[in-house]
Amino acid sequence: MTPAERTGARTPEAADVISGARERIDALDDRIIGLIQERMAVSSVIQEARITSGGRRVNLSREMEVLGHYSEALGRPGTTLAMKLLELCRGRI
């Protein structure tokens, strides 16, 4: 398969641009995944400390702060993203 076929581009130049940009996206995705995994680990420490001290596993007011932060930064899709991130970090409630 040629680069143009892989990218959907109609010229070799465009295929090169797309290929380079996709490599950058792949690298960004790897960093994002690593950051999410790190966030999950930190969240686990917080949950364990909260539960050990007699508190609940989830702090809903904190989750609302996180939702607001993502919503302000990214709009409505940010809220959806934050919900999924919170679900990954604390599990379903």
Side-chain angles (χ1 to χ4, degrees), residues 54-90:
R56 295 178 166 211
R57 180 171 64 102
V58 175
N59 181 333
L60 294 179
S61 64
R62 173 59 181 153
E63 290 198 357
M64 292 306 295
E65 289 177 24
V66 172
L67 290 170
H69 182 70
Y70 275 75
S71 178
E72 287 175 23
L74 303 171
R76 185 178 176 131
T79 303
T80 303
L81 178 61
M83 288 296 294
K84 290 300 178 187
L85 185 59
L86 290 169
E87 185 179 325
L88 278 169
C89 290
R90 54 129 160 89

Side-chain angles (χ1 to χ4, degrees), residues 28-44:
L28 289 167
D29 285 343
D30 288 342
R31 288 174 49 200
I32 291 167
I33 291 167
L35 289 170
I36 291 170
Q37 290 170 331
E38 183 178 349
R39 190 187 194 287
M40 290 169 69
V42 172
S43 180
S44 178

